[in-house]
Amino acid sequence: MQHQQQQRAQSRQSTINGEIVIVQSHKQPGSGKSASLRLYSCAEVDPKTGEGKMSSQANLKCGKTKTSNGEKTRTYHVKFYVESSFGIPGAFVIRNQGKHRFFLQSASFETHSNQIIQFDCHSWVYPSQRTKKFDRIFFSNTKYLPNQTPQGLMKLRNKELISLRGDGGGERKEWDRIYDYDYYNDLGNPDKGPEHERPVMGGSELHPYPRRGRTGRPPSNADPLTESRPHTTNLDIYVPLDERFSPKKQSEFTSNSIQAALWFLIHEVKFVMQKDSNHFESFDEIHDMFSDNQNQVIGGSLKEKLKAMVPNELFKDITHAIKTPLKFPVPQMIAENEFAWKDDEEFGRQMLAGINPARIRSLEIFPPQSKNGMVSSIEPSHIEHNLEGMTLAQAMNNWRIFILDHHDYLIPFLRKINTKDVCTYASRTLLFLKSDATLKPIAIELSFPGFAEGQEISWVFTPARQGEAAALWHYAKAHVAVNDTVYHQLVSHWLHTHAVVEPFIIATRRQLSGMHPIHWLLDPHFKDTMHVNALARSMLINSGGILEKTLFSAELSMELSAELYKEWRFDEQALPADLLKRGMAIEDPDPDNPTGVQLLFQDYPYGSDGLEIWSAIQAWVTDFCMLFYTDDESVRSDEEIQAWWSEIQNVGHGDKSSETWWYHMTSREDLIKALTTLIWIASALHASVNFGQYAYAGYPLNRPTLCRRFIPEEGTFEYAEFLKDPDKYYLNMLPERVEMTLGIALAEAVSRHTSDEVYLGQRPSSLWINNEEVSHKFEKFNQELRNIEKRIEEKNTNPELNNRRGRAEIPYMLLYPDTSNVESRGGITGKGIPNSISI
């Protein structure tokens, strides 16, 4: 009788075979062996739990190891027993009963009907004995809007979201998967002394700022409003598990950081040994920092000096990289033409095709005016002789005069900045659009506050080719480049990409289930961003961090960034809106133009390539959303999307919650606009301001980070010094040796792509959604990006487009998608649009 019952039970059972892929670590090669899994049914509900019925347990035992593209993975085969009515697995739970964490890459399961169910995991799984939480749940690559969730997954969907939100308390541990918000209250370190005190960014009218991911560290002893910091630089600062670097990325990041530090230390040791001036003595000395010779290595007395300067532990790591070249690689800026950086037209071209191409705008009123009504001291007589025979009125009416404006936001900070052994002006630079579409700088106004409140002292410089006037014009351009560099680092790069995106990531994890199709759409565009931002708060933007050491804004850097956040609007980060706002484009009524705008002139590489990328992203997002949302009501009734958008507006960007420009999120159009803008920021916008840094800023004379001297005035001792040796005065005006070297090392490190980079238009097969229509639409997106690549290549060889290469002969490739780069080679390539802000 019992045997018959067992036979009947077995006849009602079926099997599901699975394949689990774990990334192997050289430190824990056997990780994963002690894990067990169970599957959840989509359709069958367990009346006791209200969740999907579960399969039998399967254990990971023997696996096969393989190496691909430098990454070692181990694949385990498992078998589950389920009731015949089990149906399709919609989720699985995994328990790590071993001693070490492991990185779960993917899973796939084959049902009795030969259907393959894919799971994208890409996350760490910690031992249950450490986390005190036994199970980790993953959902399949089949996506559902909330009201379409299968019965067996409904409770799991809500349960997972509640778990991810946490309770808002406690210090986060490395194994936690909890997303919450906090102010930027972790930049200072008052326990080290008053010089490390920094105001909290966010939550106040004075210093508004986007929110960051909460770590929950206890307050510092000296200031209860400031979060405590580790005693040493901490590369393991908390970010939720799913946001942490993969083992391969972590290894590369560490290696690249050591290499950058090594280059900096090598040059610092050389300076100590030479016992020279703090400043470079000649241009040749600066050029000598770079070399094509990759065989020059550390050795002899330099190695011994280096060993004496760094801790033993660090020196051990350095010995692994001891074959690192003694000199920096040659930046593109001087590779073809070592004097291109001095050229006026190259100076103007970089405002259109350099690493800060979204600050320049069309001049609407002459003379320029401040927001407080104060009028610029630039007069018609300064520029009329440089307008190709046009009158000032004609040039203005034909949109031929442009401005790079670093005036209004800087003026209030200069009294404090210029007490710190730096010499900084606020600047306005006027440029004329020549008939060949190149930009010629025609006047530079440098200003700082006068003695009376509201008063300014200004100087105007105009182009000159020889003599004292030419040298002073060159100095003025250097001061403008300094302003543009600081704005680029603190605003265009950090604030407008890294900082503004983080609240969107947190809200997505907290409010959009992993089953939600929009979660799937956005997920690749969030890869590694929270981890990168956490490291930046630890090493770059913190008190005493690299940016404070290299930029003229020093300890005021984040306050300056917060001041510019007051002007930030998410809707104006949409490229067409940005171009219209800056007067670089006009509205185009042509219904066949998906961007709705037309550039004032086509030889604007960032604008031209950017609009093509924008159109491709917009078409892909539109196609995707139309597959899941049948009408506007389906957007309004999506409770997860509504909670997501509300939290972004009211919490993540809470200091902007009362602004009226936020999309209402009541239509498919609103959703498409928001998603297109977000993906544009995380992918193309970030690529355009980041990956050209070594090409342009790697040569510090092209983009200096601060000035140590003002431009000399006639009748002063400084002017006599200038007349005696203009080149020496210029070199002494620039950053000191150590500051300059640190800036080069940073530019080199952040310009590198890692080899695990996934580019726009790419997704690993394991990340694919179970939807054939989506696959078709994505292939259409990928094909359009390939077409854009061809058009970019054609534009870069068009002799009529002078701004595509310039005197430096650097082809504009910063918005070249590089879709064919399936197995990323990494390194400094100067091209490629990663899906996310991943460095």
Side-chain angles (χ1 to χ4, degrees):
M1 184 71 175
Q2 186 176 0
H3 179 68
Q4 289 177 335
Q5 288 176 337
Q6 288 177 341
Q7 283 186 322
R8 282 197 296 270
Q10 289 174 354
S11 68
R12 293 195 300 269
Q13 283 189 334
S14 60
T15 59
I16 294 178
N17 295 313
E19 193 174 270
I20 311 299
V21 181
I22 289 174
V23 177
Q24 291 290 281
S25 165
H26 68 279
K27 293 181 179 179
Q28 293 110 31
S31 297
K33 284 185 178 180
S34 301
S36 61
L37 297 88
R38 296 184 73 184
L39 304 178
Y40 280 101
S41 168
C42 273
E44 288 284 305
V45 178
D46 186 329
K48 294 181 180 178
T49 64
E51 299 170 354
K53 283 191 175 180
M54 301 186 75
S55 70
S56 64
Q57 179 174 298
N59 300 311
L60 302 189
K61 293 181 179 178
C62 298
K64 293 184 178 180
T65 301
K66 72 172 184 176
T67 302
S68 175
N69 195 26
E71 185 172 68
K72 186 180 289 187
T73 58
R74 191 170 185 84
T75 301
Y76 296 89
H77 294 276
V78 291
K79 180 179 287 188
F80 302 90
Y81 294 95
V82 298
E83 294 182 9
S84 56
S85 59
F86 186 86
I88 296 172
F92 74 87
V93 61
I94 186 167
R95 179 179 296 183
N96 178 4
Q97 295 169 315
K99 295 181 179 179
H100 304 290
R101 66 177 187 171
F102 58 82
F103 191 81
L104 182 58
Q105 183 168 286
S106 63
S108 60
F109 304 102
E110 184 177 5
T111 67
H112 65 279
S113 59
N114 299 322
Q115 184 176 357
I116 305 294
I117 308 299
Q118 298 277 359
F119 288 74
D120 159 38
C121 305
H122 279 79
S123 186
W124 295 94
V125 179
Y126 270 73
S128 57
Q129 63 186 28
R130 290 185 65 185
T131 65
K132 308 301 182 186
K133 295 177 182 178
F134 296 113
D135 302 327
R136 174 74 196 275
I137 296 174
F138 292 93
F139 296 113
S140 80
N141 290 3
T142 304
K143 305 304 173 185
Y144 312 95
L145 293 178
N147 60 6
Q148 298 167 348
T149 310
Q151 282 291 116
L153 301 179
M154 277 187 175
K155 190 171 180 180
L156 280 178
R157 182 172 189 144
N158 293 326
K159 182 179 177 180
E160 177 77 350
L161 283 175
I162 291 169
S163 171
L164 290 170
R165 292 170 195 154
D167 60 7
E171 182 176 357
R172 301 277 69 86
K173 305 300 182 185
E174 62 175 297
W175 50 80
D176 284 337
R177 282 181 71 230
I178 296 176
Y179 296 80
D180 206 353
Y181 302 91
D182 210 338
Y183 303 126
Y184 278 70
N185 62 352
D186 62 341
L187 303 178
N189 193 354
D191 291 344
K192 287 180 68 175
E195 69 276 14
H196 285 279
E197 292 177 359
R198 298 292 181 271
V200 173
M201 298 292 122
S204 69
E205 190 174 336
L206 182 61
H207 300 305
Y209 220 66
R211 304 301 186 257
R212 65 168 176 94
R214 180 182 178 277
T215 59
R217 292 197 301 261
S220 63
N221 295 322
D223 178 10
L225 298 180
T226 299
E227 191 170 271
S228 60
R229 294 181 64 86
H231 295 297
T232 58
T233 300
N234 183 9
L235 297 183
D236 292 323
I237 187 171
Y238 171 76
V239 289
L241 281 184
D242 295 353
E243 314 304 327
R244 296 187 71 82
F245 293 163
S246 69
K248 186 176 183 181
K249 174 71 171 273
Q250 183 67 56
S251 175
E252 279 192 49
F253 177 83
T254 302
S255 175
N256 291 343
S257 298
I258 289 173
Q259 180 170 293
L262 184 56
W263 265 326
F264 171 68
L265 288 170
I266 289 168
H267 288 280
E268 191 172 22
V269 169
K270 284 179 67 180
F271 301 150
V272 171
M273 291 172 66
Q274 292 167 352
K275 296 182 180 178
D276 285 337
S277 158
N278 288 336
H279 290 273
F280 286 97
E281 297 292 323
S282 68
F283 295 111
D284 288 341
E285 194 179 349
I286 294 173
H287 275 256
D288 194 49
M289 298 172 71
F290 307 98
S291 175
D292 284 319
N293 184 356
Q294 297 298 295
N295 296 317
Q296 300 181 40
V297 296
I298 309 164
S301 59
L302 181 58
K303 184 175 177 181
E304 292 304 311
K305 289 281 185 182
L306 185 64
K307 185 176 182 180
M309 287 184 67
V310 300
N312 287 334
E313 221 172 281
L314 179 58
F315 188 76
K316 288 177 183 177
D317 287 332
I318 286 174
T319 56
H320 292 296
I322 210 72
K323 292 185 179 180
T324 296
L326 189 62
K327 298 185 179 183
F328 292 106
V330 177
Q332 280 181 283
M333 191 65 231
I334 57 171
E336 298 294 331
N337 180 351
E338 64 178 294
F339 300 111
W341 62 278
K342 291 184 174 183
D343 185 79
D344 281 1
E345 287 183 8
E346 178 62 24
F347 178 74
R349 186 192 75 88
Q350 290 182 32
M351 300 176 197
L352 303 172
I355 53 175
N356 194 30
R359 182 62 183 173
I360 190 170
R361 60 181 175 85
S362 177
L363 184 66
E364 298 177 356
I365 300 172
F366 185 91
Q369 295 184 10
S370 298
K371 291 178 180 177
N372 63 8
M374 187 171 292
V375 178
S376 166
S377 58
I378 301 175
E379 298 179 359
S381 60
H382 288 125
I383 65 173
E384 283 177 324
H385 59 289
N386 268 321
L387 303 180
E388 291 188 342
M390 301 177 74
T391 66
L392 176 58
Q394 288 173 328
M396 290 292 294
N397 291 337
N398 285 278
W399 299 307
R400 298 284 290 275
I401 300 182
F402 296 81
I403 184 169
L404 183 72
D405 196 340
H406 293 296
H407 180 274
D408 285 11
Y409 73 89
L410 268 179
I411 281 287
F413 286 88
L414 290 184
R415 291 188 193 278
K416 287 184 179 180
I417 287 172
N418 288 336
T419 62
K420 305 296 181 182
D421 196 29
V422 295
C423 299
T424 307
Y425 300 98
S427 65
R428 292 187 179 103
T429 305
L430 297 191
L431 304 103
F432 176 70
L433 182 67
K434 295 168 61 179
S435 54
D436 63 358
T438 59
L439 280 179
K440 176 183 179 181
I442 54 176
I444 293 173
E445 178 190 49
L446 301 179
S447 310
F448 54 63
F451 298 106
E453 188 69 30
Q455 184 187 51
E456 291 181 17
I457 301 172
S458 300
W459 296 263
V460 177
F461 299 87
T462 55
R465 293 192 175 276
Q466 57 187 2
E468 299 163 18
L472 294 174
W473 170 247
H474 184 56
Y475 295 176
K477 288 196 299 179
H479 276 278
V480 171
V482 165
N483 288 355
D484 203 56
T485 295
V486 170
Y487 185 93
H488 163 260
Q489 289 287 12
L490 298 179
V491 182
S492 301
H493 185 197
W494 169 257
L495 175 63
H496 286 172
T497 63
H498 288 260
V500 301
V501 165
E502 185 158 350
F504 286 87
I505 301 174
I506 299 170
T508 299
R509 306 309 192 203
R510 285 167 54 89
Q511 301 297 342
L512 298 184
S513 166
M515 300 183 202
H516 201 292
I518 301 303
H519 188 288
W520 180 88
L521 175 71
L522 291 177
D523 189 59
H525 303 291
F526 296 156
K527 178 179 178 285
D528 296 337
T529 302
M530 286 189 71
H531 199 162
V532 166
N533 286 3
L535 290 169
R537 298 198 311 274
S538 180
M539 297 186 295
L540 290 181
I541 63 173
N542 59 302
S543 65
I546 295 176
L547 293 189
E548 287 197 0
K549 290 180 184 297
T550 55
L551 303 182
F552 72 69
S553 46
E555 69 268 26
L556 296 172
S557 293
M558 289 302 288
E559 292 182 55
L560 191 62
S561 183
E563 187 65 25
L564 271 298
Y565 179 62
K566 294 176 181 178
E567 301 176 3
W568 176 80
R569 290 178 52 155
F570 176 69
D571 61 329
E572 288 181 347
Q573 283 206 271
L575 180 60
D578 168 61
L579 292 168
L580 288 173
K581 176 187 176 183
R582 293 188 289 117
M584 300 300 289
I586 57 175
E587 292 185 356
D588 185 357
D590 184 354
D592 294 330
N593 180 353
T595 68
V597 302
Q598 181 180 339
L599 291 174
L600 283 187
F601 57 100
Q602 289 305 307
D603 197 5
Y604 179 12
Y606 166 76
S608 175
D609 296 359
L611 285 174
E612 294 208 54
I613 299 295
W614 171 273
S615 296
I617 294 172
Q618 180 177 253
W620 156 237
V621 170
T622 301
D623 286 345
F624 185 87
C625 289
M626 291 300 183
L627 290 176
F628 290 94
Y629 294 94
T630 55
D631 52 26
D632 291 344
E633 178 56 33
S634 60
V635 174
R636 290 192 290 269
S637 62
D638 185 337
E639 59 193 32
E640 289 185 10
I641 280 290
Q642 295 302 322
W644 172 73
W645 192 244
S646 175
E647 186 165 288
I648 289 166
Q649 179 177 339
N650 295 302
V651 185
H653 284 282
D655 296 335
K656 294 280 187 176
S657 61
S658 60
E659 302 283 358
T660 58
W661 44 257
W662 289 99
Y663 300 123
H664 298 297
M665 205 53 66
T666 55
S667 65
R668 289 189 295 186
E669 182 182 5
D670 285 346
L671 181 60
I672 289 166
K673 284 180 178 178
L675 295 173
T676 302
T677 302
L678 182 55
I679 292 172
W680 159 261
I681 295 169
S683 58
L685 180 60
H686 180 259
S688 73
V689 298
N690 184 72
F691 292 105
Q693 288 194 73
Y694 194 70
Y696 289 99
Y699 187 63
L701 301 187
N702 184 57
R703 290 188 70 81
T705 58
L706 58 83
C707 283
R708 293 288 180 190
R709 309 187 82 168
F710 290 115
I711 295 178
E713 296 183 62
E714 285 192 65
T716 63
F717 170 80
E718 288 78 10
Y719 200 81
E721 190 181 352
F722 151 67
L723 290 177
K724 183 178 179 181
D725 191 339
D727 283 352
K728 184 175 182 180
Y729 189 94
Y730 176 70
L731 290 169
N732 287 335
M733 188 174 77
L734 296 175
E736 295 177 354
R737 294 172 186 266
V738 171
E739 296 161 341
M740 204 178 278
T741 307
L742 185 56
I744 297 170
L746 175 64
E748 199 278 340
V750 300
S751 297
R752 286 182 171 274
H753 291 286
T754 53
S755 61
D756 73 340
E757 204 78 86
V758 183
Y759 294 88
L760 195 64
Q762 297 177 353
R763 287 186 89 123
S765 58
S766 64
L767 302 183
W768 201 244
I769 193 171
N770 296 331
N771 187 307
E772 287 188 14
E773 288 183 280
V774 171
S775 300
H776 172 71
K777 298 298 185 185
F778 190 80
E779 179 54 37
K780 173 186 165 187
F781 175 47
N782 179 275
Q783 184 57 54
E784 177 56 21
L785 291 174
R786 290 173 184 268
N787 295 337
I788 291 171
E789 290 174 351
K790 293 176 182 176
R791 292 195 289 271
I792 288 175
E793 291 168 357
E794 290 169 359
K795 284 186 279 190
N796 282 343
T797 57
N798 185 340
E800 295 182 1
L801 299 177
N802 296 298
N803 296 322
R804 302 294 307 192
R805 304 183 77 93
R807 297 292 173 87
E809 287 295 320
I810 304 176
Y812 189 73
M813 299 289 278
L814 295 177
L815 287 173
Y816 184 88
D818 210 13
T819 54
S820 61
N821 191 5
V822 178
E823 290 196 353
S824 174
R825 58 193 174 280
I828 300 176
T829 66
K831 65 178 180 179
I833 302 176
N835 274 319
S836 64
I837 302 166
S838 55
I839 190 63

